[in-house]
Amino acid sequence: MSAPPPSTSRDRLHGLLRLVLVIGTGLAVADGFRWGNRLYLSTQFADVDLASAADLAAHARDALTHGLVWLVVAALAAVAAWLLHPRSRPAA
């Protein structure tokens, strides 16, 4: 049995990018649910209390913006991790 090869900084960076990808995707999905919930509630409160509906609509817009930013972060991390993937290295 041989010892595993030592970890390089490129391998550590690849692992960090994969972690950012997973966390960013999870936060983007969570913000997507939060956006849908706030948007639905703002339409339900529109007949009862217009001020509350407007406040919820503003929170929905914020959740959508945050979700899209996390989605972009996750996509950039995915591309960078793919470019650093160990199998994409030339054989030595």
Side-chain angles (χ1 to χ4, degrees), residues 6-85:
S7 179
T8 64
S9 62
R10 188 173 176 160
D11 292 334
R12 286 190 294 267
L13 181 60
H14 181 257
L16 178 66
L17 287 170
R18 288 181 56 186
L19 180 66
V20 170
L21 167 65
V22 169
I23 291 172
T25 302
L27 290 173
V29 169
D31 279 333
F33 280 111
R34 198 166 56 106
W35 168 70
N37 184 18
R38 300 300 190 278
L39 191 62
Y40 172 76
L41 288 175
S42 71
T43 60
Q44 296 302 311
F45 282 125
D47 294 336
V48 179
D49 185 11
L50 197 56
S52 293
D55 187 46
L56 284 170
H59 287 293
R61 186 191 68 230
D62 289 344
L64 178 63
T65 304
H66 290 131
L68 291 175
V69 167
W70 279 117
L71 193 61
V72 168
V73 167
L76 291 175
V79 169
W82 179 67
L83 291 174
L84 287 175
H85 195 273

